[in-house]
Amino acid sequence: MTDPTTPAAIGRERQSAIYRQGVLGRRPAVPTDFAELERRARRATSQKGWAYVAGGAGEGRTMRNNRAAFDRWVIVPRMAHGITTRDLSVDLLGTRLDTPILFAPVGAGQLIDPDCDLHVARAAAKAGVPYVFTNQGGTPMEECAAAMGEGRRWVQLYWSTDEALVDSLIRRAEAIDAGALVVTLDTTTLGWRPQDLNLGSLPFAQGLGIGQYTSDPRFRELVRERIAAAKTSGVKQEVEVTLGAIRSLLSITRNHPGKFWANLRSPEPRGSVEAFLDIYSNPGLSWDHLATLRERTRLPVVLKGILHPDDARRAFDQGVDAIVVSNHGGRQVDSSIASLDALQDIRAAVGDEPTVLMDSGIRTGADVFTAVALGADAVLLGRPYMYGLAVAGQRGVEEVVANIVAELDLTMSLTGARSLADITADMLQPSRDFASSGH
Ligand SMILES: Cc1cc2nc3c(=O)[nH]c(=O)nc-3n(C[C@H](O)[C@H](O)[C@H](O)COP(=O)(O)O)c2cc1C
């Protein structure tokens, strides 16, 4: 029997496997619908963890827009097409993927599980889904790559104000055989995130999500330079001693590479957090910086966070290999255009040829179908797999993606799509309910 937890198992196999277990009195460990998955994940997560992972910018309008955009479309199934086999595979940047799904980069996952990145890496390798390593992971990319074996990984980069650090991270991505370098453009500074702000919670300030930095030779050099400069300047930083400050210090110390007691005596752990907060992103990022990428790396370059057709055109004019249409899951700008709406405008502007990926709001297999119909070559899953992780660890991640692939396959079966190329805008219509309800 095919392993029901891998996406290789198409829809009916997965469905029957679940029903067969049901006959034995067993229910799936991971809920198969998003609403229940979200509820269960929330129960399993700390308050600060939930604020960070589930939270969004401002009043949450962009997150709602992302979902409402899917509600504005309906699928129109076709009957008696006689199609019994389907092909969900897609060619992406020179490699063939079994399904049009990747795992999005999700930073500071240590808030959910200390080994989040490793669990996701293993789940991705097992499921045959490429994993885009976040620049803000807890585990160095080399360790995640080792955990994946031959599994495909891409590496995401935030453009630092330190150009030597940018180069160092790129070199490391090349050394671990990344399939692409994904440069995220939409987080040159953090958005206004009330859920975190109300708790005064920034994971990085606790030493979480900075593992790619503390393992980087250039970053460590920078930290040592800054510590030496502070020593010679003789300026001492006064820190108010509160219970919170002690907790933060312990968290920073615990999460820094090396031995706890040695770390406690060293200025490096705290220096690393401070250096990270100063340099991890570059509010001055411009197309001139991006124009240097082609000569800085041999990896395919993907720009993530594009929402305007002019930016999409400019990206392809500069020779990038792909873009990700994304509003960062509604975490950056409140009241921003829905990613699915932006996808349609961008596909219309750039034509059929360029590789356009999409994320922000994908929750189900039917959503993947809709996104592909509206022009996405593939999609990235974000929060859903993190919720799977919260509920059931590595297995939870595998099950979430297997469920989404199963539903995509069943949707194709029930609509008469033999391959992704068959999923076109002709299979959709604007939802009349939505139009008449005055939205
Ligand atoms: C907790 C969290 C952390 C994220 N961290 C990163 C990151 O480090 N780098 C990045 O490019 N995108 C990051 N993203 C954005 C995701 O890559 C992706 O665009 C987003 O999750 C898609 O929205 P969705 O999860 O609502 O579908 C993060 C998203 C979440 C939820």
Side-chain angles (χ1 to χ4, degrees), residues 9-12 14-15 401-411:
I10 53 168
R12 258 171 73 170
R14 176 141 187 91
Q15 214 174 21
V401 72
N403 289 341
I404 290 175
V405 169
E407 194 196 352
L408 171 63
D409 181 54
L410 290 173
T411 307

Side-chain angles (χ1 to χ4, degrees), residues 182-187 302-308 311 323-328 346 357 359:
V182 180
V183 181
T184 299
L185 306 180
D186 57 21
T187 310
V302 181
L303 297 185
K304 175 170 181 281
I306 302 266
L307 292 168
H308 195 290
D311 288 345
I323 60 170
V324 184
V325 176
S326 167
N327 56 31
H328 212 100
I346 286 171
L357 315 185
D359 74 23

Side-chain angles (χ1 to χ4, degrees), residues 210 214 219 222-224 226-227 237 252 256 266-278:
I210 64 172
T214 51
F219 181 79
L222 258 170
V223 172
R224 285 193 292 270
R226 288 166 59 109
I227 291 169
Q237 256 195 334
I252 290 169
H256 195 76
S266 157
E268 273 194 32
R270 241 184 68 202
S272 297
V273 169
E274 283 159 13
F276 168 85
L277 292 173
D278 278 352

Side-chain angles (χ1 to χ4, degrees), residues 34 49 51-55 63 66-67 103-109 111-112 132-137 156-158 182-187 193 204 304-305 324-331 358-363 380-387:
F34 184 74
Y52 188 72
V53 177
M63 289 197 294
N66 284 339
R67 292 303 300 148
F103 286 149
V106 169
L111 282 164
I112 303 274
V132 186
F133 294 167
T134 166
N135 206 169
Q136 300 188 337
Q156 179 258 323
L157 176 81
Y158 282 124
V182 180
V183 181
T184 299
L185 306 180
D186 57 21
T187 310
R193 299 183 183 168
F204 317 109
K304 175 170 181 281
V324 184
V325 176
S326 167
N327 56 31
H328 212 100
R331 299 163 68 77
M358 180 264 179
D359 74 23
S360 300
I362 299 283
R363 300 290 176 262
L380 280 67
L381 283 185
R383 290 185 181 96
Y385 82 73
M386 287 302 286
Y387 294 170

